Structure formats: C-alpha cells, structure tokens
Amino acid sequence: MKKVKIALLGLGNVGTGVWKIFQMNKDEIEKRSGYEVKISKILVRDKKKNRGLDIPEELITTNFKDILEDDEIKVVVEVMGGIEPAKSYILSAIKNKKHIVTANKMLLATRGDELFKEADENGVMFRYEASVAGGIPIINGINESLTANKIENLYGIVNGTTNYILSKMDLEKVNFKTALKEAQVKGYAEADPTSDVDGYDSQYKLAILAALSFGTQVDVSNVYREGITNISSLDIEYARELGYKIKLLAIVKNHDNKLELRVHPTMVPEEHPLGAVYDSFNAIFLKGNAVGELMFYGRGAGDLPTGSAVVSDIIAIIKEDVEGENKIPVVKNNLWKKEFKEMSEVTCRYYIRATVIDEPGVLGEITKVFGENKVSLRSVIQRGRRHSGQYVTLVFETYLTKETNIISSIDSLYELKSVNKIDNLIRIEEF
Ligand SMILES: NC(=O)c1ccc[n+]([C@@H]2O[C@H](COP(=O)([O-])OP(=O)(O)OC[C@H]3O[C@@H](n4cnc5c(N)ncnc54)[C@H](OP(=O)(O)O)[C@@H]3O)[C@@H](O)[C@H]2O)c1
C-alpha cells in the first residue's frame, strides 16, 4: 500500500479527535483512500502537557520548521485556531506545496481570500469542512452536491452553545444566566462566552457559508449581528404562547443579486424543522431552485464530530492526487459580484415587548403610532390587568414590514409618556 505523511498543527479538542479517528477507523481510511496515512508530526505549544493519548514522543514538536521543511509531509492540518500564527503557518505550508485542511472559521471568515488565492497560485488543495457546523457536511454539500442549484436562501443554527442555552431556557424554564453556567460546566461554553453569546461565531460561519453559496466575496462586516444576551424567560414564554421557538439564526437571502445577511435571535414557527433543533445540535435549512428545501442536522462541535469532518477532508485530498498539482481551482467565491442589503432595508415580521402604564387609551395611542409608521399589527397580548396607573407588559406581533418602519415606530413610542420601555424586539421568520 502507498504511504502518505501528514502533520497536525494543534492537538486540542479537534486535533485529539483527528488522532482518535485515525486509530479507530484505520482500516476504513486505508481502504477508502488507498493510502496508509501516517501522522508524522504534531505541533503544540506545550510538549509536556498530559493529553491522555498514547502518542509517540518523537511525533510532538514545538517547532513549525520540523513540519515545513519535511518534504515528505504532503498535507498540513491546521487545528490550532486564531489568526496568528495559524495564518503565517498555512501560507508558508502552501508555498512549500503542502495541501491544507483547516477548521479555523475565524481565519477563513476574515482572511480566507488571501489563503484561497495563495493555494490556487501554488496548485495545492485547500479544504475547510469543519469550519462551519462541525461534523455536518455542509461545506462539501454546497460546494459539491448542490452546484446544480441557485441557492435562494439559507437559515442556520450554527452555534451549539447558544442553541444549548436557548433550549435550556425553553425546556427547563431557567433564566439566561443559569443556562449559560450549565453550558460552561458541560464544556459547551468557554469561560469567556462572548464569541458565542454575542453572535460573533455565527457571524464568521455565515460569512463563509454565504461566500460559498453565492460564489461571491463576503466580508464579516457585511453580516448584521445580534447575540442572545437580551433574551429573557419572558420572551421565551410569550414566544411559546404565539407558537414560536427562539433560535439564534444565521440567515442569508438572495434578492435580485442583493444579499441579505443577518445573525440574530429569531422566532421560528414551532412546527418548522428548525424549531425542533434542541440541545447543542446544529442545523442548516436551505432552498435550492432545483433541489427544493433541504435540512442538514447534526453535531456542530466536539472532538469526534469535528474530527470526522477534518479526516474526511484529508481523505478527499489524498484520493484526489496528493502527489500532484491540484487542477481544481480552490477559489469559488469570486464568480459573481453581489451587493449587500442594509439592515434598514430588510423586510420581516416582528415581536415587540414593551412596558407601559396601564391606563385607558394607552393601547389606542400605541397602535396609532404603529399605523402612522406603516406597521400593521397581527396580534396584541396584555396578560392580567393590574391596577390603573401601574406598569404592565404589552406584546405586539406585526405583519411583514420594513425594519426602518419598526425603528421609526420605536423612536415615536419613546415620545409617548405612557411608554416606559421597549424591552425587546425579536424578528420572526415564516419561511
Ligand atoms: N472545538 C470544536 O468543537 C471545534 C469545532 C469546529 C471548529 N473548531 C475550530 O478548530 C480549531 C481548534 O479548536 P480546538 O477546540 O481544538 O482548540 P484547542 O482545544 O484550544 O486546541 C488548540 C491546540 O493548538 C495548539 N496551539 C495553539 N496555539 C499554538 C501555537 N502558537 N503554537 C503551537 N501550537 C499551538 C495548542 O497547543 P497546547 O495543547 O500545547 O496548548 C492546542 O493543542 C479552531 O479554529 C476552532 O475554531 C473547533
């Protein structure tokens, strides 16, 4: 059997998963790829760390040159994360004609174009299945299996941590703080959860998915972003009453060459398949103009699920032509030029929760403001009447309207003496 050497940059969660899969599934990998794959070097920061794995000491290095200068290493697998030194290591490996596999969404979403260009110019393959939704084969799904389609829209639950938190808040009726703590104890959320709960992680992933789905360059700044820290138990309760589940959705829609890209908490009809995605699971629901609606569902993180995506990329490279020049262009995101919709131009349905003074005529004043701003209301909830003059919660659900009309309504509502606070505004998707 032919032999091929590869190297890992990083032996954390994902690197460990990759190592384990090569031990667990040696026979499958060899038979399917036609090669005996040897992980011949692994780059780490701390050589002495106990990793609970039976890895020969001589494989571990802290010097990237051991990998870069070994001509027998044909594939470099970057699973260390961050921008630098990951980016410089990948660029030097490409220049030394090594094929690349990476799981690094932050790097791809912010510096992907530079890496793809370098890979193309050097005739090396560059694969990144694990960068979005861990074990779910969405990148290769779009890039290979769905190329006969024009993708019309895509909705993703692409962050397991926030989905876990929202699921806990919904199913166990706990508040955000308690759910976040549990996510941290379970290892789903980092000690600093900002990237997940403020939506940055989903923003990176949507930029990658949109670039690939629409063959265009997408900058992270083109993606509108809101996180889930504002979602309260009350919103979850009202959503239930209205027949919705709240999910952090990454959404892209194509309108006559203009892309609408947004990440924010979204009310999804409870009977929609995305409404039934619980725990730390991920899902991507998309519509192609030939295939129709499709949903991909699975584990978006974890050592083995993410390792599964990384190892399948390694096998794909080895099967393609690991010894030769890559003839398939890497860059697929400069085929069309697209414009991006401003958030104010987006049309949506909205849930608005407000605290107002409970007095006769207040509801009339508020609905008048919505009317003046061209916002039609679909329903209003006022639960339990208190004593006149006290604060009460009102919940409004609108029909389709422009974001700009909602913003002007809220500005006008704040001018009313009877409105104490607009507590939350959550967009509703109907699909
Ligand atoms: N975790 C997931 O489930 C998941 C899912 C999808 C994608 N990803 C992506 O996969 C990548 C890796 O994630 P992870 O969770 O496996 O990270 P991790 O557990 O923090 O592991 C990072 C590894 O890289 C090594 N490393 C970091 N900086 C280094 C440097 N400057 N020089 C040498 N080695 C260095 C670390 O070495 P030491 O061990 O010596 O510290 C560690 O082994 C990230 O891009 C992440 O976004 C992760």
Side-chain angles (χ1 to χ4, degrees):
M1 183 169 276
K2 290 181 284 187
K3 292 189 173 138
V4 61
K5 285 187 182 176
I6 69 169
L8 304 185
L9 311 183
L11 190 57
N13 283 313
V14 183
T16 300
V18 171
W19 175 268
K20 284 183 190 163
I21 292 170
F22 272 107
Q23 311 306 305
M24 268 163 43
N25 297 342
K26 189 175 184 312
D27 190 40
E28 283 74 12
I29 292 167
E30 288 184 358
K31 291 211 170 99
R32 288 190 194 277
S33 69
Y35 276 85
E36 185 188 325
V37 185
K38 183 168 167 28
I39 298 178
S40 70
K41 275 280 175 272
I42 304 174
L43 181 78
V44 295
R45 265 180 306 215
D46 177 5
K47 251 179 135 169
K48 300 223 160 61
K49 202 188 260 184
N50 179 7
R51 298 167 195 276
L53 296 168
D54 190 15
I55 299 182
E57 218 173 279
E58 66 275 12
L59 299 197
I60 308 286
T61 179
T62 53
N63 186 356
F64 177 60
K65 278 193 174 164
D66 292 345
I67 293 167
L68 187 66
E69 291 170 0
D70 184 341
D71 288 339
E72 285 185 15
I73 293 176
K74 300 292 179 195
V75 185
V76 168
V77 181
E78 186 273 309
V79 282
M80 55 196 278
I83 304 291
E84 284 296 354
K87 183 183 144 209
S88 304
Y89 289 173
I90 290 178
L91 285 174
S92 341
I94 290 174
K95 287 190 181 110
N96 278 16
K97 307 287 179 199
K98 298 183 193 302
H99 303 289
I100 304 294
V101 174
T102 177
N104 195 332
K105 65 217 143 201
M106 192 204 275
L107 180 60
L108 286 171
T110 56
R111 313 288 206 284
D113 293 337
E114 191 183 339
L115 301 176
F116 295 150
K117 187 165 170 275
E118 198 68 32
D120 231 5
E121 284 173 9
N122 282 277
V124 303
M125 288 176 259
F126 191 109
R127 298 184 71 105
Y128 51 99
E129 180 59 73
S131 64
V132 179
I136 302 176
I138 184 65
I139 298 288
N140 294 322
I142 293 172
N143 211 12
E144 286 161 22
S145 310
L146 293 174
T147 42
N149 287 264
K150 278 187 194 168
I151 291 180
E152 294 176 0
N153 49 50
L154 177 153
Y155 305 82
I157 296 173
V158 289
N159 182 273
T161 308
T162 46
N163 205 47
Y164 177 84
I165 292 172
L166 292 171
S167 298
K168 281 259 152 199
M169 289 175 74
D170 180 22
L171 301 176
E172 295 177 21
K173 301 191 169 58
V174 297
N175 64 21
F176 173 80
K177 235 174 139 185
T178 309
L180 170 61
K181 250 202 196 114
E182 281 203 48
Q184 284 168 325
V185 169
K186 283 212 157 181
Y188 292 144
E190 310 265 330
D192 174 3
T194 313
S195 174
D196 293 325
V197 299
D198 284 345
Y200 291 100
D201 178 81
S202 298
Q203 189 186 31
Y204 293 140
K205 290 169 177 168
L206 186 61
I208 296 172
L209 284 178
L212 194 66
S213 302
F214 296 95
T216 194
Q217 287 188 351
V218 176
D219 192 275
V220 176
S221 64
N222 299 132
V223 181
Y224 174 82
R225 176 191 54 80
E226 260 177 44
I228 64 161
T229 51
N230 252 352
I231 301 296
S232 75
S233 303
L234 215 50
D235 296 317
I236 304 257
E237 237 177 78
Y238 280 115
R240 194 176 303 127
E241 192 169 333
L242 293 165
Y244 300 115
K245 296 286 173 191
I246 301 179
K247 300 286 171 194
L248 181 67
L249 284 198
I251 302 172
V252 52
K253 295 184 187 182
N254 188 16
H255 304 273
D256 304 326
N257 267 344
K258 250 192 175 182
L259 292 185
E260 174 182 324
L261 297 165
R262 45 195 172 101
V263 167
H264 51 67
T266 311
M267 289 196 183
V268 174
E270 61 189 358
E271 65 277 8
H272 189 274
L274 286 173
V277 176
Y278 288 111
D279 203 64
S280 63
F281 277 93
N282 281 199
I284 292 116
F285 185 90
L286 60 80
K287 188 167 179 206
N289 68 343
V291 73
E293 291 178 337
L294 277 181
M295 186 158 107
F296 296 73
Y297 171 87
R299 287 275 175 213
D303 58 351
L304 293 178
T306 313
S308 156
V310 171
V311 175
S312 71
D313 273 349
I314 298 169
I315 295 171
I317 287 177
I318 291 169
K319 280 168 76 173
E320 190 66 47
D321 182 10
V322 73
E323 311 283 351
E325 280 259 308
N326 176 36
K327 300 286 185 304
I328 305 162
V330 171
V331 185
K332 296 267 173 61
N333 64 355
N334 58 358
L335 304 173
W336 293 277
K337 198 156 173 47
K338 298 269 185 191
E339 287 182 27
F340 300 94
K341 257 194 174 186
E342 290 294 327
M343 199 56 197
S344 57
E345 294 176 79
V346 163
T347 298
C348 216
R349 291 187 49 229
Y350 295 82
Y351 153 102
I352 299 153
R353 177 163 61 84
T355 304
V356 305
I357 295 176
D358 190 7
E359 267 172 2
V362 169
L363 190 57
E365 266 184 353
I366 294 176
T367 50
K368 187 163 170 261
V369 165
F370 280 124
E372 284 165 357
N373 287 281
K374 300 191 190 79
V375 175
S376 301
L377 295 176
R378 188 183 191 219
S379 67
V380 181
I381 304 177
Q382 177 181 351
R383 246 204 254 129
R385 213 191 133 78
R386 313 265 161 85
H387 299 293
S388 186
Q390 283 192 340
Y391 287 126
V392 70
T393 296
L394 282 182
V395 164
F396 301 92
E397 192 191 4
T398 77
Y399 282 111
L400 272 184
T401 187
K402 269 199 172 170
E403 179 102 359
T404 184
N405 295 342
I406 289 292
I407 301 301
S408 56
S409 302
I410 287 174
D411 288 346
S412 308
L413 285 175
Y414 268 120
E415 283 169 18
L416 298 180
K417 277 209 179 85
S418 52
V419 173
N420 181 51
K421 193 170 174 224
I422 305 300
D423 301 286
N424 214 346
L425 180 154
I426 302 175
R427 296 168 188 86
I428 303 171
E429 279 298 320
E430 286 209 310
F431 304 93

